[in-house]
């Protein structure tokens, strides 16, 4: 019988609200109490046991896991310290706290045989901490580089796309809620610095002093820089970088960088984040996805909670979560019942009325044409190529239309030949 | 005191050889014995206890983990069945075995309280199985789509890049060792089918019948299709796709697809693999990296071995591998000692000799110029913009060169203004 895992949630801002929403799907987790600054503020979700004294949560013997999504170091450090000493596991999204006080907290957690998980602290929804710690553990990493701040990536993307100044794009970002009224933490690179410190820590198994990290933001980047970089084959990105030097020192820094357009990192636009790892034996891998936001961040926070809950319940069993416990066979749909857009390549040997014939066959089978491309005549001037892209339609309808067109082939000496039918990805 | 974990390695082909090489870095893992088809064949790595009877490994009470990188279902199924019944955990890279007999093996493993890990079976070096099972567990996934076969992605990339036919590119792939002499499993989509079956299984928590998967390879794709798709804004990729329909059926298939150029999947070229997951609350994430090869695949196999070894040794402790056990402070290098390429944006108000002045300042400080771009005059015809990209040089040298140029500014009424200095990503 599974024990219901009880959590104490500290913080009910954007991320905390997402966590409450997502946890509604999981019966085995109960939010025992929530701590906030102001208990009278209206909330987007309903929670019971709301308090403005977070210490009641970390001192509650009934709570198994403290989930901290409040941010800052004061009183967060004291709260998590007390929670660990009281035998609770921790899930946190607090990058600043980890970058400043991680060494102390991890030592304390080891002393009390507790675990701190923090998938949401770096790159929001992208699973990066757990893979580095587990699946990629065989690697000797050379470097880790990331686009770790969505706000600055959005600003740089807009400056490029729309040829606007830094100031104009910052304003846009603020209007859209991507940037705060005081944008310093994002645009001066502090947020990315905290995150690269944590990544460097787990990638190189060394503790990182954030006071030694070189940090430079994006405020001095002009639209002319972006244009010139573009002409020379580069994009400008704010990169958090940590790499091992030949003499086994660690080079950790955050600053704008020119990135070659062919590099995967140059293709990460708007508020997306990405992390690029290089090492042996893996070579290179890139993880990309949403770096912030209520729901993506909640995905990582709740993921950590579920990992801990599974382990607490299965104490003594190896890797309970990696096991396949489902036995139900999927109801698999036959492709004829699926809906797709289609690309159809047709060679027409007798041009007369061909578009009409195709149009009729499609129309009869409930297929609308999205675009049509007629390519020039063949060398012998006796055939032409027609490419049709359809709107979304049923596979069985498209197969019927193709059959009708192919029937004409036999009647009329190959006036139409269907060369290929390729489905289009949504 | 850590117990030395003993593994039995079945298979010493490309992946097995990589596994032996990588395990040399880990003192806590011992390869107790290796089973191969032909014990007389010369090997690239030295191993002790080589046998052509794999059953001696699965019956050896001294072995903790069976690592199976031989492939195929016969006698692999019988071997792993025996290993599990004999109380061994399993690490396998065998996608076909999992797709055909996974349901049976996972049930058996649960019955005997053993674990089967198989990170290498899907997308080679990319960590995808573990993140889906753990960190992303809070999600309700809508779809998983992957470029899961490097051979076909290489062929399609080359067809596009070089305007060659399928047959010509297949031949190239065979010469480079990307494709086998009999390429059927890759080019007809069987390999991708096994992988998407496993991904669908863990994404939707349902068992997948591979006989119901629609499968179509790339042999009918012509260079004309690739050209036409390109003109219409698409690339053609072989995609393994599994998605949940509105009526809660699972739509699983492998076939070529047109992918919009802006889609991340369209940017995955050559032998790379990628997996795109969509769901709530995460939104969209993409994992990309090497999908095959000796070393990347070994990264995943050894990763799984290390995860199991850590759990076996720390029985009763929660998530031993997620803990930070290092306490050594990194030797962090100061940015002045780092080497970079630099982008320097300069406004020159007095054009006369400016290139010479820049060149001299660089030369004096051991800086070579890689490229230089002089932009047209400003509207008042009184200044011009010069962009310099340097070869790799020391940060302190570049700072000295900048200081020298800035000194001229003061002497000569701002004849040179340094607008920006941006480092270039390697």
């Amino acid at each position: 019988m599974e024990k219901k895992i009880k959590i104490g949630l500290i913080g009910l801002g954007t991320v905390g609200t997402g966590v409450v929403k997502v946890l509604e799907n999981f019966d085995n987790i109960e939010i025992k109490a929530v701590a906030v600054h102001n208990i009278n503020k209206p909330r987007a979700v309903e929670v019971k046991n709301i308090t403005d004294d977070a210490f009641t949560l970390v001192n509650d013997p009934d709570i198994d896991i403290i989930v901290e999504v409040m941010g800052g170091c004061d009183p967060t450090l004291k709260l998590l310290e007390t929670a660990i000493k009281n035998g609770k596991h921790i899930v946190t999204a607090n990058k600043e706290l980890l970058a400043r006080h991680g060494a102390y907290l991890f030592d304390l957690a080891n002393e009390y045989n507790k675990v701190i998980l923090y998938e949401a602290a770096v790159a929001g929804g992208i699973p990066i901490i757990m893979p580095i710690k587990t699946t990629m553990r065989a690697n000797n990493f050379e470097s880790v580089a990331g686009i770790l701040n969505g706000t600055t990536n959005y600003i740089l993307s807009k400056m490029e796309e729309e040829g606007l100044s830094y100031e104009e794009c910052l304003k846009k970002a603020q209007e859209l809620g991507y940037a705060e009224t005081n944008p310093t933490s994002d645009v001066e690179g502090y947020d990315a610095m905290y995150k690269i410190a944590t990544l460097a820590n787990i990638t190189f198994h060394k503790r990182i002093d954030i006071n030694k990290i070189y940090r430079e933001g994006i405020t001095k980047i002009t639209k002319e820089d972006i244009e010139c970089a573009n002409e020379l084959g580069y994009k400008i990105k704010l990169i958090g970088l940590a790499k091992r030097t030949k003499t086994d020192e660690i080079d950790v820094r955050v600053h704008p960088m020119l990135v070659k357009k062919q590099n995967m990192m140059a293709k990460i636009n708007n508020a997306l984040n990405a992390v690029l790892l290089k090492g042996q034996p893996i070579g290179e891998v890139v993880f990309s996805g949403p770096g912030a936001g209520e729901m993506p961040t909640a995905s990582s926070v709740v993921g950590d909670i579920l990992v801990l809950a599974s382990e607490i319940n299965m104490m003594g069993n190896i890797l309970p979560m990696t096991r396949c416990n489902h036995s139900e066979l999927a109801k698999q749909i036959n492709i004829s019942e699926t809906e797709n857009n289609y690309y159809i390549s047709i060679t027409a040997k007798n041009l007369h009325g061909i578009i009409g014939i195709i149009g009729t066959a499609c129309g009869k089978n409930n297929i609308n044409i999205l675009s049509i491309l007629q390519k020039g005549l063949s060398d012998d001037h006796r055939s032409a190529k027609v490419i049709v892209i359809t709107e979304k339609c049923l596979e069985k309808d498209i197969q019927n239309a193709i059959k009708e067109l192919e029937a004409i082939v036999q009647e009329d000496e190959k006036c139409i030949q269907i060369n290929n039918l390729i489905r289009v990805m949504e």
Side-chain angles (χ1 to χ4, degrees), chain A:
Chain A
M1 175 63 192
E2 260 193 26
K3 169 183 181 308
K4 200 157 192 167
I5 300 297
K6 293 191 176 136
I7 71 166
L9 179 63
I10 302 179
L12 194 57
T14 306
V15 177
T17 303
V19 169
V20 173
K21 286 180 191 169
V22 176
L23 278 178
E24 280 166 9
N25 305 321
F26 296 91
D27 290 341
N28 58 330
I29 314 285
E30 180 189 332
I31 302 175
K32 172 87 193 290
V34 181
V36 296
H37 283 300
N38 176 358
I39 54 170
N40 296 316
K41 197 168 147 184
R43 305 283 170 180
V45 285
E46 215 174 300
V47 289
K48 52 177 190 182
N49 300 331
I50 197 159
T51 171
D52 56 7
D53 180 7
F55 282 94
T56 60
L57 273 59
V58 298
N59 286 317
D60 182 344
D62 200 29
I63 283 175
D64 303 289
I65 306 171
I66 287 292
V67 178
E68 185 270 306
V69 290
M70 179 173 67
C73 296
D74 181 24
T76 331
L77 177 61
K78 187 75 201 155
L79 284 167
L80 296 195
E81 189 185 358
T82 310
I84 293 166
K85 287 181 177 171
N86 285 335
K88 296 174 197 331
H89 299 289
I90 306 289
V91 172
T92 177
N94 193 329
K95 58 229 163 213
E96 183 180 354
L97 183 73
L98 292 173
R100 293 190 189 279
H101 304 288
Y104 170 70
L105 286 171
F106 292 125
D107 279 351
L108 190 71
N110 284 340
E111 192 186 329
Y112 285 83
N113 199 17
K114 295 297 147 199
V115 175
I116 305 173
L117 297 185
Y118 48 95
E119 191 61 65
V122 179
I126 305 175
I128 182 69
I129 304 296
M130 186 68 89
I132 292 175
K133 289 196 167 188
T134 62
T135 308
M136 291 193 282
R137 195 60 164 253
N139 285 277
N140 186 12
F141 286 108
E142 292 145 31
S143 66
V144 53
I147 295 174
L148 300 171
N149 180 271
T151 308
T152 48
N153 204 47
Y154 172 85
I155 292 172
L156 292 171
S157 296
K158 282 292 147 203
M159 285 173 74
E160 191 197 347
E161 269 171 39
E162 302 185 12
L164 299 174
S165 71
Y166 165 74
E167 289 76 16
E168 288 167 305
C169 293
L170 170 61
K171 208 169 149 242
K172 272 198 178 211
Q174 285 169 325
E175 282 163 11
L176 286 165
Y178 286 160
E180 314 213 12
T181 318
N182 177 353
T184 306
S185 172
D186 292 320
V187 301
E188 296 293 1
Y190 289 96
D191 176 80
M193 178 182 76
Y194 300 138
K195 291 169 177 170
I196 193 67
T198 289
L199 282 178
N201 192 308
I202 62 170
T203 304
F204 300 111
H205 310 293
K206 295 275 166 68
R207 287 182 174 169
I208 303 299
D209 179 354
I210 57 169
N211 298 306
K212 290 185 184 163
I213 298 179
Y214 178 82
R215 180 193 46 74
E216 187 185 315
I218 64 160
T219 55
K220 286 182 292 183
I221 304 292
T222 64
K223 59 182 175 182
E224 288 75 23
D225 288 324
I226 289 176
E227 278 165 25
C228 292
N230 188 48
E231 259 178 76
L232 293 159
Y234 298 91
K235 297 218 180 192
I236 299 181
K237 296 286 180 192
L238 182 68
I239 302 284
L241 173 70
K243 62 176 181 174
R244 195 191 293 277
T245 69
K246 282 167 207 147
T247 49
D248 214 27
E249 291 162 306
I250 311 291
D251 173 12
V252 193
R253 35 182 161 137
V254 175
H255 53 66
M257 292 188 102
L258 268 68
V259 182
K260 280 228 171 69
K261 284 182 191 170
Q262 307 91 291
N263 190 313
M264 282 290 280
M265 299 300 268
K267 298 166 183 170
I268 306 300
N269 292 321
N270 299 315
L272 284 186
N273 280 18
V275 177
L276 163 66
L277 284 151
K278 291 188 196 180
Q280 292 309 322
I282 204 169
E284 286 190 32
V285 279
V286 177
F287 300 69
S288 68
E294 175 185 350
M295 296 313 273
T297 311
S299 166
S300 289
V301 172
V302 178
D304 280 349
I305 295 171
L306 295 176
V307 167
L308 273 169
S310 146
E311 294 277 331
I312 292 170
N313 263 320
M314 302 283 282
M315 267 306 255
N317 265 353
I318 284 180
L319 296 166
M321 227 176 177
T322 66
R323 305 183 182 200
C324 285
N325 290 314
H326 54 273
S327 57
E328 197 189 340
L329 200 62
K331 273 195 273 177
Q332 279 171 254
I333 194 171
N334 188 283
I335 193 152
S336 65
E337 301 298 329
T338 66
E339 277 192 328
N340 301 277
N341 294 56
Y342 295 87
Y343 160 105
I344 315 170
S345 157
I346 300 165
T347 303
K349 295 215 172 165
N350 176 358
L351 267 180
H352 188 67
I354 178 65
I355 301 292
I357 292 168
I358 296 170
T360 307
C362 286
K364 264 179 67 180
N365 290 287
N366 318 306
I367 300 161
N368 292 321
I369 291 172
L370 187 69
S371 52
I372 193 157
L373 174 72
Q374 183 171 328
K375 305 276 286 181
L377 295 174
S378 63
D379 292 345
D380 63 4
H381 285 240
R382 296 182 54 191
S383 68
K385 190 147 224 172
V386 181
I387 306 292
V388 174
I389 294 192
T390 72
E391 288 187 3
K392 221 175 190 189
C393 59
L394 271 172
E395 174 92 13
K396 60 185 170 193
D397 285 337
I398 206 92
Q399 295 295 357
N400 284 336
I402 296 276
K403 257 181 230 147
E404 282 183 32
L405 289 170
E406 279 175 341
I408 300 170
V409 175
Q410 284 153 355
E411 285 167 25
D412 202 2
E413 288 171 22
K414 294 205 172 225
C415 90
I416 303 173
Q417 190 185 327
I418 310 294
N419 303 308
N420 222 335
L421 174 78
I422 310 177
R423 295 162 198 87
V424 181
M425 194 169 172
E426 272 172 58

